[in-house]
Amino acid sequence: MIAKVLLIDDDTIRGWRKLYAARGLEGLTRFEAGGSEGLLSRTQEEMLKAYVAAALPRTTRQVGAYIAREFDVVYESRAGLIKLLHRLELEYHKPEVIGRKLDAEKQRAFIETYNDLLNSLGPDEAALFVDAVHPTHAARPVGCWAPAGENLAIEQTSGRQRLNIHGAIDLETGKTAMIDVETVDAASTIRLLEAIEAMYPLLVMIHVFLDNARYHHAKLVREWLEQPGCRVTLHFVPAYCPHLNPIERLWGVMHKHLTHNKTYATYREFADATLEFLREKVPKNWSQLCDSVTDNFVSSTQRIFGF
């Protein structure tokens, strides 16, 4: 009856009644035009934010227990806690794993050098990122939406067979060079660099960014680079910094499309699908994939080091 008189919904009235039962008139007086401010005071909300930042609780149950223990306030629903955390600009996500030997100054220097190179890149030059990946013939179970009450299962393979791919990507165009090799070593590095040169027959200089794997520094590779007419220049990413090599993100995209909740009956089917995705579908669909494989190094470094 009250809801009809005030032209509001029943749930709002019930919410007010619940707030009154828990906090009395003081709770009702904190109601604003935009809705209820919640059960916590501003000071308590700041304490909660500090707790989450320090303790990194894994579940809303832990958050609710802290609120009940410290403030004598009980949130009866998980949805209410999630709404509170979102309102306080807190979110659920996984921490990044970073190496203990990261050198912030070397990262700054690399980022500045890379940006300077891109800004001065001529029309007869290109920049690519190189790395190796070893996907195994195995499905990766991940969370997904499904009909309620249905027991989900995916057929698993042995996971013993794996591809060895030495690859490169041009972030400007999405063009890739992906070679399937028996072993990733100095010989495969040279094969990949030759494939890159073949991709750009008219360019004068090709800048290749890659990690500090021993085979990338091998004598065979150095001798190949010193050959007359070689158009490849290598630039090495700082040690322990895979986040500065965008092709690492391409491998994540690859797994999202190929192995998450997907099973291939044979290893050959898996290998063909993987190589087709990297060689054909990535360049073809680059406009949809490019935002997931970026060289936005500044934001990544700021997130880790705060500069």
Side-chain angles (χ1 to χ4, degrees), residues 130-249:
V130 161
D131 190 37
V133 68
H134 313 277
T136 58
H137 178 212
R140 295 188 173 192
V142 295
C144 62
W145 288 98
E150 182 173 322
N151 293 324
L152 295 180
I154 54 175
E155 185 178 353
Q156 187 58 280
T157 61
S158 68
R160 295 175 181 174
Q161 291 178 291
R162 73 174 190 177
L163 272 170
N164 294 310
I165 300 173
H166 216 162
I169 186 167
D170 182 337
L171 298 184
E172 183 68 25
T173 64
K175 292 177 67 174
T176 65
M178 300 286 167
I179 60 173
D180 177 11
V181 298
E182 189 71 26
T183 305
V184 176
D185 53 17
S188 71
T189 301
I190 292 173
R191 280 184 54 197
L192 178 59
L193 296 178
E194 289 174 340
I196 290 172
E197 280 198 326
M199 285 172 57
Y200 301 97
L202 302 180
L203 296 188
V204 172
M205 182 62 66
I206 305 169
H207 300 275
V208 173
F209 293 84
L210 66 178
D211 63 26
N212 285 276
R214 183 174 299 179
Y215 46 77
H216 288 156
H217 291 278
K219 181 179 178 182
L220 282 176
V221 176
R222 295 198 305 269
E223 290 175 348
W224 185 86
L225 293 167
E226 293 169 358
Q227 293 181 113
C230 178
R231 297 178 290 124
V232 172
T233 297
L234 300 187
H235 305 268
F236 291 96
V237 175
Y240 310 106
C241 295
H243 58 283
L244 295 182
N245 193 343
I247 197 172
E248 295 274 3
R249 300 169 192 170

Side-chain angles (χ1 to χ4, degrees), residues 19 22 37 71 81 97 130 147 155 159 161 173 177 202 213 217 225 237 239 253 257 277 298:
L19 188 60
E37 288 188 0
F71 311 134
L81 275 172
V97 178
V130 161
E155 185 178 353
Q161 291 178 291
T173 64
L202 302 180
H217 291 278
L225 293 167
V237 175
V253 173
H257 283 78
F277 177 79
V298 175

Side-chain angles (χ1 to χ4, degrees), residues 227-291:
Q227 293 181 113
C230 178
R231 297 178 290 124
V232 172
T233 297
L234 300 187
H235 305 268
F236 291 96
V237 175
Y240 310 106
C241 295
H243 58 283
L244 295 182
N245 193 343
I247 197 172
E248 295 274 3
R249 300 169 192 170
L250 176 61
W251 307 144
V253 173
M254 172 192 72
H255 282 295
K256 179 180 178 181
H257 283 78
L258 296 174
T259 66
H260 288 183
N261 295 342
K262 291 184 180 180
T263 299
Y264 298 86
T266 66
Y267 168 76
R268 191 68 263 164
E269 290 180 21
F270 166 71
D272 289 344
T274 302
L275 292 171
E276 179 188 14
F277 177 79
L278 294 173
R279 290 170 175 171
E280 301 176 22
K281 292 186 178 180
V282 169
K284 182 178 179 181
N285 300 291
W286 187 238
S287 60
Q288 287 79 46
L289 299 175
C290 61
D291 288 342

Side-chain angles (χ1 to χ4, degrees), residues 15-31:
W16 287 351
R17 185 180 184 281
K18 183 177 178 181
L19 188 60
Y20 175 76
R23 303 289 300 275
L25 290 176
E26 179 187 355
L28 292 178
T29 57
R30 298 182 69 239
F31 179 81

